[in-house]
Amino acid sequence: MATGAGTEQTQVIEEIAPFEAAQEIEGGGIVLIDSREPHEYQEAHLDGGKLVPPALLADQIETVAPDKSARTIVYCRSGNRSGIAAAQMQAMGYTDVASVAGGIVLWQEQGLPVVSPSGMTPEQRERYSRHTLLPEVGVDGQLKLLNAKVLLLGAGGLGAPTALYLAAAGIGTIGLVDDDVVDASNLQRQVIHNTERIGMPKTTSARIFIEGLNPDVKVIEHNGRLDAGNVLDVMSDYDIVVDGADNFPTRYLLNDASVRLRKPVVSASILGFDGQVSTFMPYEGPCYRCLFPTPPPAELAPSCSANGVLGVMAGTMGTLQANEVIKLVLGKGEPLIGRLLLYEALSTTFTELKVRRDPDCPICGENAPEIPESEMGQFPDYDLFCAGAGGDR
């Protein structure tokens, strides 16, 4: 039994066990009230339950349950909110109200039926329950994640943490592009690999880890290098591309191909104690060439192998990339479109720079030439264009 909340609600509230409540509901003539929030109701609810959120109870309960003498059963997630709601209803004149002990959680643990959304299995509802409780995600959002296709360019420092969190989030299809094998020097930051898989292709090593983490995720290996001959074919099947490339020619190729295909790219880079991340949405914001019209000279952009990198930098920037991807899939929040976020690890500071589309950009600018269909797969020589520039991952 529970005691009503508030100084004037001293009456004892009847608590009823889930099995007893189920028997009463099956017998009919019961008013069943769900005292939770709309996103919780959407995730799973009892058949016939009428949603009355706690904040709206005083205004809505008499409309939903006009007969104050009728047998009324109230439930919530764990029994706390329903006890408070039952006490409020008694104070309003309801004479036969009970609260379900343990709420819908105990109800489900005892094997009693609930109404669940289509498209998700019971195992998926459990796995992603912390997502579906968020109003910004909910069941519909989780289904969007499960149906999303994301291509990761690179299964190394940035690709590793990004892949882990996208897989954990339930991104339905993850493509991995990499032509490298796992090396002992990778393990300081590329957390998707391990010592036992040294010498294994990175795409295979990453796939093994992802499949062990989340069987919902389909992993497609593109064990090779992205080049002008395959970039359009590889990218065309995916919704979003994550850029973790380790060289400038690939980055410029990816940018130009993404603009032609109108595919968003979440791009990041790390070096030493510094990182940066941005999201490039073709024609809605600047592209990579608007930000970097030409690659920097080699002495200004040394590679991680030459200059070093703090291992956790990969995790910091990679998880920011994963966050950007999830926002894009859900259509929520404010992606880093037209914004370049800089992170400095030694001082733990973030700096945001505004980036605008360049009207004279040769790729996405107002006067950029249209690419005929017959020439869509033709790209310039990026190695020549980037000659002398160093890698950055």
Side-chain angles (χ1 to χ4, degrees):
M1 309 290 277
T3 304
T7 56
E8 297 180 359
Q9 298 175 359
T10 57
Q11 48 284 63
V12 175
I13 305 304
E14 178 188 353
E15 285 190 335
I16 183 171
F19 272 118
E20 296 175 17
Q23 290 177 341
E24 283 199 43
I25 294 169
E26 186 177 355
I30 301 297
V31 178
L32 184 60
I33 302 296
D34 187 319
S35 183
R36 299 180 299 162
E37 299 300 329
H39 64 277
E40 296 176 280
Y41 182 88
Q42 185 184 40
E43 180 186 0
H45 59 271
L46 306 191
D47 189 19
K50 300 177 180 180
L51 177 64
V52 183
L56 302 178
L57 186 137
D59 295 329
Q60 294 185 358
I61 191 62
E62 292 183 347
T63 301
V64 175
D67 186 355
K68 295 186 177 182
S69 63
R71 175 62 166 169
T72 305
I73 295 177
V74 187
Y75 74 93
C76 64
R77 177 174 172 78
S78 60
N80 294 326
R81 284 174 288 177
S82 60
I84 294 172
Q88 290 177 311
M89 292 174 66
Q90 284 190 353
M92 295 173 66
Y94 287 84
T95 59
D96 193 6
V97 184
S99 170
V100 178
I104 196 171
V105 171
L106 184 58
W107 180 285
Q108 290 180 286
E109 288 178 355
Q110 295 184 355
L112 295 169
V114 297
V115 177
S116 299
S118 59
M120 290 179 65
T121 66
E123 292 78 15
Q124 288 173 329
R125 290 194 296 272
E126 174 64 23
R127 177 181 286 270
Y128 306 116
S129 60
R130 300 306 187 271
H131 265 178
T132 55
L133 285 171
L134 295 170
E136 295 83 358
V137 182
V139 173
D140 289 343
Q142 187 60 53
L143 290 173
K144 289 180 181 179
L145 295 173
L146 287 166
N147 290 318
K149 297 180 178 181
V150 178
L151 179 68
L152 271 63
L153 180 52
L158 292 166
T162 307
L164 291 182
Y165 274 95
L166 292 182
I171 294 294
T173 301
I174 295 178
L176 301 169
V177 180
D178 207 305
D179 66 343
D180 202 1
V181 298
V182 179
D183 182 84
S185 65
N186 302 147
L187 304 182
Q188 160 256 16
R189 65 199 179 282
Q190 299 180 19
V191 293
I192 205 167
H193 310 301
N194 64 27
T195 304
E196 295 178 354
R197 297 202 287 272
I198 289 176
M200 181 182 293
K202 287 184 178 180
T203 57
T204 303
S205 173
R207 175 181 57 78
I208 291 171
F209 193 107
I210 291 170
E211 290 177 345
L213 173 65
N214 190 349
D216 287 342
V217 180
K218 177 183 178 182
V219 181
I220 300 175
E221 291 186 57
H222 302 278
N223 188 10
R225 199 169 190 84
L226 205 65
D227 58 35
N230 63 20
V231 62
L232 295 182
D233 288 337
V234 172
M235 289 177 57
S236 61
D237 290 334
Y238 296 91
D239 307 314
I240 300 168
V241 181
V242 176
D243 175 16
D246 62 357
N247 63 87
F248 286 109
T250 302
R251 284 190 171 242
Y252 283 97
L253 169 65
L254 171 61
N255 176 76
D256 295 0
S258 68
V259 173
R260 294 185 189 187
L261 294 173
R262 296 179 180 264
K263 303 274 187 180
V265 175
V266 179
S267 181
S269 62
I270 54 175
L271 185 67
F273 297 93
D274 298 297
Q276 62 184 37
V277 59
S278 188
T279 293
F280 300 108
M281 183 72 73
Y283 302 108
E284 291 186 26
C287 74
Y288 186 77
R289 279 189 190 249
C290 294
L291 181 59
F292 302 110
T294 59
E299 62 272 16
L300 297 181
S303 66
C304 288
S305 60
N307 203 66
V309 63
L310 185 68
V312 296
M313 286 297 303
T316 302
M317 305 314 293
T319 50
L320 284 173
Q321 284 184 286
N323 184 60
E324 286 295 293
V325 170
I326 290 171
K327 289 191 295 182
L328 290 174
V329 173
L330 296 176
K332 299 292 184 180
E334 297 181 16
L336 288 169
I337 299 172
R339 296 185 289 153
L340 179 66
L341 187 65
L342 308 178
Y343 173 64
E344 203 282 317
L346 287 179
S347 60
T348 315
T349 56
F350 286 92
T351 303
E352 182 180 298
L353 303 178
K354 297 293 185 182
V355 184
R356 293 181 174 84
R357 281 184 66 189
D358 180 0
D360 297 322
C361 175
I363 302 302
C364 75
E366 297 173 359
N367 299 316
E370 292 188 14
I371 307 296
E373 186 70 25
S374 60
E375 298 179 9
M376 280 289 287
Q378 298 179 19
F379 295 92
D381 187 335
Y382 294 97
D383 288 317
L384 180 61
F385 177 68
C386 299
D392 56 348
R393 251 64 51 208

